[in-house]
Structure formats: structure tokens, C-alpha cells
Amino acid sequence: MILMLALPVAALVLLSFWTQNGFELDRTLTVENYAQLVRLSDEPTIWFGIPFYFAYPVPAILMLKSLVMSLTATIAVIALAYPMAYFLAFRITRNKAMWIILITIPFWTSYLLRVFAWKVVLGFNGAINSGLKAIGIIDQPLEFLLYNPGAVVVTLAHSWVAFAILPIYVSLEKIDRSLLEAASDLGDSKLRRFLRVTLPLSAPGTVAAALLVFIPTVGDYVTPTLVGGPGGTMIGNLVQELFLKQNNAPLGAAVAIMMMLIIAVVVAIFLWAIGYRRIRARRM
Amino acid sequence: MERLKFIDRMASGKVSRRQMMQSAAAFGVGTMMLPRRVASAEVLTCLEWGGYDSPDYFSSYVAKYGAQPNFSIFAGEEDALAKVLAGFAADVMHPCNYSVSRFVNAGVAAEIDTSRLSHWNDIFPALQTAEGVVWEGKTVMAPADWGNSSLAFRPDLLPAEFAENPSWSIFYDEEYKGRVAMSDNEMAIIIGAMIGGMPYDEAYKMEGATLEAAAKEWGAKAVNISKFLWTDSSEVQQAMASGEIVAAYAWNDLVANLRAEGVPVVFAKPKEGMFTWFCGLTLLNTGKADEQAAYDFIDAWLAPETGKALIEGSGYGHSNMKSFEIADPEAIANMGITDPVEMMKDTIVFKTPSDTVQEGFNKVWADTKALKY
């Protein structure tokens, strides 16, 4: 633990308190990097109609954009994974192991290859465009498929769906079937039974799955690099850019640490909101 | 059986953490005890542009060492420099006349002893002493390839008026939104400023408020109009071959490759001017391989056979005068101008910005890209 996690994080924290001065690294401790991230300016930068009153607005804008994109991807992942896990847990009675293996087969290939495959699917002469053209629905290739935030969200959703299916499946599998029978016997319709018994009991797995997808996707940079174009840039790309292009590792480290803190806060708020609702439900 | 029992116990949660760690450590110890590779003969490591890792360009090195060096591919010199500064141990790097100073100023470039290069005396004399090859009185780059950066377009997909009077302004024209591709480079801002009337000699060294304003006006436009900003020349080549984009910032190789595929493409001489660069090999002091191997690699790049491959394969010029004697005359005729000095008179030669200017461009360009939506 200490070697693999604590030391690198400590190094990152230390680095974020240094500053880059041309080619030299200035090793005096300062909070200048963080100050740069939150320094205000009178003239706002307008992005999507939202005014950002920052002197250096790029990190804040990309952070917000990444959170929104990854939240969308997470919702899409849960919407895709839940029915699949449900099917696996309740409809499949034989050869369950084989089904699980089948679901994970696409994930035996490299992450990079899967992202690249989406580039082929969504591309100008890609699978979707040539398919639609062949059956005569469109005569000009659709331009909006690749190189935008939408393409990033679609690719992220697909790449992470297997990670969500398994925790949801486990929590659904653990539900005591007699509870479902009891609900039916007491007159619940199928929908009410699902909403009152299945869904709450599978909540832990679903929450775990959502966090498992949300946390890593916020900082992803491979997917936006390959399918996002300049419009699909995320905060991870900024960190990479600061480290490897602008040669400003200390500022990159500060952005990375701010990102971790913000994600931690967002996740804490999310968990608090869920826990709060559950307590209230019990009182009633 | 012992092993199976361990897995069983682990699955049922009966293994204590200490036992778990012990078993894990056993694997770690296993890895450490594996035979190490012999460390004596370090392989040469080169930072290279995509496409230049083909053995055609350094055949005499391969003939001598029996293997290719290791390559790390970069999309722009600034990426490569940051990688070296972050600790990547490269022996040789392939910068250009306008970027070599960055490596010298960062203290990672070493002076080249030209007497150790057998082909040095066949290099065009003008290139031997050009700014960039020589920096602050020292030879820091062995010039190898030269060529142009210009506007490539598909004449069959654009109106005839454009083909008659091509202009860089296509990259800033709303009408072509999503149909052009600029390169992922601050040139998008510089060329914009040139369209706005600023000569290149001022545009390349913009700073401070001027730079901010040019980035807001021209950089943002280029980012929004471009379908994508290319970093990899095969990406832009495919997009241009399919007609996804009709115009791109390009080098000579794009045109040569597309023509070889039978795609109609014009390498324009835009009214604002076309650019000339010359690149070469720089010896880095961060490498671990034998210095002689680095010299052999650089020398291989200067060989006339390499020039022949460059001229015939990608339409680039070469620094060795003898290359033009052995290359296919038809390929030479296709290049147009074959004397780098003539070429430089006729076009805009890229200039070297100061470190502060370059760093300013890096930051402003990154911010401009990030603000696209």
C-alpha cells in the first residue's frame, strides 16, 4: 500500500507545491499553483452560457464538463447494465458461468482497441454511416457521430458496462426469492414488486457500480484523445497536456489533486443524498 | 494439493492478511529472481516523427547493427522535449530548424562532431551553416530532410475559384466547418494572424496581449471550423482520401501518398505563402547507448540512399547533394524545386521563437483547444 499508493500520491502533492520556471523546477514551497486555479477575474469567460469568473478558467470549465460527461456515461452504463444483470440473475437458470463469460468476452481485448473500434464504428466511412447509406436512409454520411462529447460518452459507456454488470448481478443474485413471492402473495403487481423489493435490495450493488464507473471516467484521457476531437476534451487531457506538452508538471499535479478532491466531494454528496433518503423512507 | 487448499481457503475467507501478503511476496521474490537482461549493450533510443521509423531511412545502421533502434514516436517537438525533461533517456532526436534551440536551451542537446559523419561533406553548404543547424556557434543538428508545410486540398470537392486562388482562409471560413483539418499546432494562430495582415516575421513571435487577442480571434475559429486537429499524418491522410475533409495543413508526404493511391490532391501555394522547414538529427546527452551507435544512426540518415527513399517515397527533399543524382528523375521532377536554397528564397522559412514565446504559444494554444464545445 505504502509503496504503490501513498508514496506516489505524496510525491504528487509535493510536486504541486513547487513551481516551474522555464526549464527549471523551483523547489520553494508555495501555493501559487492552487492560487492560479482559483484566482478570480472581473471579466468572465462565457462557456455554454455559463460565466466563469476565473483568471485561468480552463481547468474549472473542463472539470465541470468532465463531471457532466462522466455522469451521463454513468447513467447510460447503469441503464444498460441493470437490465442485463437482471436477466442474468432471474431469467438464466442453467449455465450461468457461461453467460457471465460471454458477457465479459469483449473485455478480453485491450481497452485501447475497444476505443479505437468505436472510431471505426462512428467514423465518416464507418460501420454506422456505410450501413445507413446502404439501406438508403441517408445519402450523405452523418457528420455528428465522431469527434464530439457525445462520441466520448458512448465509448465510455460501452467500455465500462462490464464493470457495472457484475456488482449489480451479485446484489440481485443475493436477493431472497421468498421475499419476491411474499410480495406477489400480498397483492403487489410486478412493477410494484420490482420498485418496492428488488430495486431497494439491489441498491448497494448499483451504487457500487455507479461509483466504479464514475470515479475513473472523470479522469479518463485515452477515450477523449481518440474519439473526442478538440470538442471532447476532458480534465484528464489537461493534466496530460500540462505534464507532457506545456512542461508544467507542478501545475499539472495541482490540477490532478484538485480533481481528486472534487471527485471525492461529489461522491460524498452522492452517498450522503442516498443515505439520507433511505433514513427518511424508514421513518415513514 | 497444497496449492488448491490455499485457493479454497482464500475463497472462503480463511486466509489471514499476513498469509496473503506472504504469498504475494513469494510472487514478488519470483520476479526479482528472474534472470536480468544483459545490460552492457544498450539499444539506441530515438525520438522520431511518425513514419520516419521506417528502416528505409537508416539502412546502413541496420546493416551494421543487425537490428533497428528503439523508437518513441512524437507528434510535435514540444511533446518530445517534455518527455526528455521528464526523464526519458533518448539518444537521438529529430528536431527542425525552428525547434532545435529549445533542446539546446534546455541543456539536453550535445554538440555534434561533424568529422565523425562520413557524409557531412556532401551536404548542401548552405544547410551546413544554416541557423538551426548551428546554434550559438555550435553544430547541434545534422540536417537531413527538408520540405514544406502548406495547404493540401481536394480539387474535385472544392469550387474552381478556390483551386485557382487557394488561401489559408479556408481554415477560418464558417462555410467549411467540419470539412477541413488543421494540425494540432500553434500555426493555427500564426497563420490566422497572417490572414489578418500581420507578416510572418511578426506573427511567429507574438506575445502577451497580442497573442491572446490573435488566439481569441483566429485560434478559436480554427479549432471550431476544423473537423479535428491532426496529430498523426495517417489520420489526416485517411480523412482526406475518403473526402471527409477537403483541405488540410499538410506536409509533402501527404500529397505523395494520396497521389500514389490515385486520390486527386493539390499541394497549394496559398496567396499568404507556403512554409519551408528543414529537420535533422540532434544528439542528446540523456542517452544510455554507445555514442558511436548514435553517430552511425545520424550518418545513416545523411546517406544518399536515404535521400533517394525520401525523395521517391514521400516527396521530401534531402540534405545530401548526391541523393539527387541517384533518385528517380521523375520523382525529382515532381518535387518542383530541388535546391533547398532556391526553395527558401521562394517560400517562408520557419523561424526560431524564443523560449518565452514558445512557452506562451504552448499555453495559449492548449487553452484555446480546451474551450471548444
Side-chain angles (χ1 to χ4, degrees):
Chain A
M1 269 294 265
I2 288 174
L3 206 68
M4 305 293 275
L5 186 71
L7 277 182
V9 171
L12 199 68
V13 171
L14 182 63
L15 185 60
S16 74
F17 288 105
W18 290 343
T19 43
Q20 188 82 34
N21 186 4
F23 295 119
E24 305 293 321
L25 203 56
D26 185 348
R27 285 197 168 74
T28 33
L29 295 181
T30 158
V31 290
E32 173 55 29
N33 292 318
Y34 293 96
Q36 214 179 323
L37 295 181
V38 295
R39 192 168 290 147
L40 298 179
S41 136
D42 296 331
E43 197 190 335
T45 307
I46 312 284
W47 184 81
F48 251 111
I50 312 164
F52 284 85
Y53 287 91
F54 288 111
Y56 179 39
V58 173
I61 289 174
L62 286 184
M63 189 70 229
L64 183 70
K65 186 175 169 189
S66 306
L67 286 175
V68 171
M69 278 166 74
S70 127
L71 199 65
T72 321
T74 309
I75 292 168
V77 163
I78 301 297
L80 274 171
Y82 200 92
M84 286 197 239
Y86 191 89
F87 179 78
L88 208 59
F90 292 108
R91 289 285 179 273
I92 306 295
T93 44
R94 282 184 300 163
N95 296 334
K96 263 193 186 176
M98 190 195 74
W99 276 85
I100 292 176
I101 291 170
L102 280 180
I103 282 180
T104 53
I105 275 185
F107 300 90
W108 293 5
T109 53
S110 134
Y111 182 69
L112 210 58
L113 273 180
R114 270 180 284 139
V115 177
F116 208 81
W118 273 103
K119 206 170 167 164
V120 176
V121 171
L122 299 172
F124 185 76
N125 277 353
I128 292 181
N129 272 331
S130 49
L132 287 177
K133 241 158 90 175
I135 54 172
I137 293 181
I138 52 168
D139 31 87
Q140 278 299 312
L142 300 173
E143 300 265 341
F144 58 84
L145 293 176
L146 196 56
Y147 301 123
N148 57 43
V152 179
V153 169
V154 167
T155 310
L156 283 178
H158 169 256
S159 307
W160 288 88
V161 86
F163 297 98
I165 291 177
L166 294 176
I168 299 177
Y169 163 73
V170 170
S171 65
L172 283 171
E173 185 68 25
K174 276 200 308 205
I175 294 175
D176 190 345
R177 299 298 191 272
S178 57
L179 290 173
L180 298 176
E181 278 171 32
S184 297
D185 288 349
L186 292 168
D188 263 359
S189 69
K190 276 189 173 169
L191 181 67
R192 276 182 70 82
R193 187 182 76 182
F194 172 75
L195 290 176
R196 281 166 40 130
V197 181
T198 319
L199 195 60
L201 286 176
S202 65
T206 315
V207 169
L211 294 182
L212 210 61
V213 175
F214 180 74
I215 295 173
T217 52
V218 177
D220 192 17
Y221 89 94
V222 176
T223 312
T225 307
L226 285 176
V227 301
T233 324
M234 292 171 81
I235 190 92
N237 299 85
L238 178 71
V239 175
Q240 188 251 5
E241 181 110 13
L242 284 169
F243 268 91
L244 287 179
K245 208 155 199 171
Q246 299 193 36
N247 190 29
N248 195 344
L251 187 60
V255 172
I257 284 164
M258 283 298 264
M259 178 181 96
M260 281 197 269
L261 292 177
I262 291 173
I263 294 174
V265 169
V266 169
V267 168
I269 292 175
F270 172 69
L271 288 177
W272 173 79
I274 297 175
Y276 181 65
R277 268 227 300 277
R278 209 180 286 161
I279 293 161
R280 218 166 56 160
R282 267 185 213 146
R283 267 199 207 130
M284 281 159 66
Chain B
M1 277 318 281
E2 197 56 38
R3 261 170 299 170
L4 285 178
K5 260 188 215 157
F6 180 79
I7 293 171
D8 271 352
R9 281 188 299 146
M10 196 170 78
S12 50
K14 283 180 191 151
V15 180
S16 76
R17 193 167 64 188
R18 177 164 299 187
Q19 279 169 313
M20 214 34 211
M21 291 306 276
Q22 274 170 354
S23 328
F27 283 97
V29 171
T31 0
M32 304 232 323
M33 276 157 51
L34 282 174
R36 293 258 176 99
R37 281 174 66 195
V38 189
S40 59
E42 280 283 351
V43 181
L44 190 73
T45 302
C46 306
L47 275 162
E48 196 45 281
W49 299 86
Y52 273 0
D53 51 347
S54 155
D56 294 344
Y57 299 138
F58 43 88
S59 45
S60 68
Y61 176 91
V62 179
K64 181 168 175 186
Y65 291 85
Q68 294 190 32
N70 290 334
F71 283 107
S72 167
I73 303 299
F74 61 83
E77 293 96 328
E78 288 297 308
D79 303 19
L81 177 60
K83 195 165 180 174
V84 171
L85 290 176
F88 183 74
D91 300 284
V92 179
M93 149 75 197
H94 198 140
C96 296
N97 59 317
Y98 53 87
S99 56
V100 71
S101 73
R102 296 276 291 154
F103 290 83
V104 178
N105 298 348
V108 294
E111 187 176 2
I112 296 175
D113 178 1
T114 54
S115 65
R116 290 175 75 176
L117 299 170
S118 68
H119 298 292
W120 181 259
N121 293 330
D122 299 329
I123 304 277
F124 283 101
L127 288 182
Q128 288 181 2
T129 53
E131 182 185 88
V133 173
V134 179
W135 192 256
E136 287 165 357
K138 290 176 182 161
T139 303
V140 287
M141 178 173 90
D145 50 320
W146 52 270
N148 305 104
S149 291
S150 194
L151 163 73
F153 68 92
R154 290 275 304 261
D156 52 329
L157 300 176
L158 281 167
E161 302 88 74
F162 182 85
E164 279 160 24
N165 190 14
S167 162
W168 286 107
S169 59
I170 191 169
F171 292 107
Y172 310 89
D173 189 344
E174 278 292 333
E175 201 187 320
Y176 292 100
K177 192 176 165 94
R179 297 178 65 208
V180 296
M182 193 65 204
S183 80
D184 184 356
N185 187 287
E186 66 272 11
M187 281 308 291
I189 303 174
I190 297 176
I191 294 172
M194 286 167 68
I195 293 172
M198 190 186 280
Y200 175 74
D201 286 352
E202 285 171 37
Y204 87 96
K205 53 180 181 191
M206 281 187 287
E207 262 184 295
T210 329
L211 175 58
E212 296 267 346
K216 271 212 176 94
E217 186 180 356
W218 299 101
K221 232 186 244 173
V223 168
N224 281 320
I225 302 288
S226 278
K227 175 88 178 176
F228 55 85
L229 299 165
W230 65 269
T231 52
D232 161 17
S233 58
S234 65
E235 183 185 26
V236 66
Q237 244 159 46
Q238 284 162 12
M240 202 139 175
S242 69
E244 180 176 12
I245 56 166
V246 297
Y249 178 99
W251 303 317
N252 313 53
D253 69 327
L254 175 124
V255 182
N257 290 344
L258 287 184
R259 283 209 184 122
E261 281 174 36
V263 180
V265 59
V266 173
F267 202 36
K269 198 157 185 241
K271 59 181 175 201
E272 297 85 2
M274 89 194 294
F275 299 95
T276 299
W277 42 260
F278 56 96
C279 303
L281 282 304
T282 288
L283 202 58
L284 299 179
N285 57 22
T286 56
K288 289 184 185 143
D290 182 20
E291 200 178 49
Q292 188 53 45
Y295 272 102
D296 285 332
F297 182 77
I298 295 175
D299 207 30
W301 257 98
L302 303 184
E305 293 74 32
T306 303
K308 180 177 152 74
L310 269 176
I311 294 165
E312 290 171 6
S314 34
Y316 288 132
H318 191 245
S319 61
N320 193 321
M321 292 180 280
K322 286 190 179 157
S323 306
F324 294 90
E325 292 163 16
I326 59 167
D328 179 13
E330 198 186 336
I332 295 177
N334 274 344
M335 285 177 62
I337 308 174
T338 52
D339 180 351
V341 183
E342 288 299 312
M343 174 64 89
M344 286 178 204
K345 272 189 207 150
D346 211 30
T347 53
I348 303 169
V349 183
F350 281 128
K351 288 205 167 128
T352 308
S354 71
D355 284 328
T356 11
V357 168
Q358 185 61 50
E359 276 154 23
F361 269 120
N362 291 352
K363 182 178 184 308
V364 165
W365 177 239
D367 291 356
T368 309
K369 280 188 293 175
L371 291 180
K372 182 188 175 176
Y373 50 83

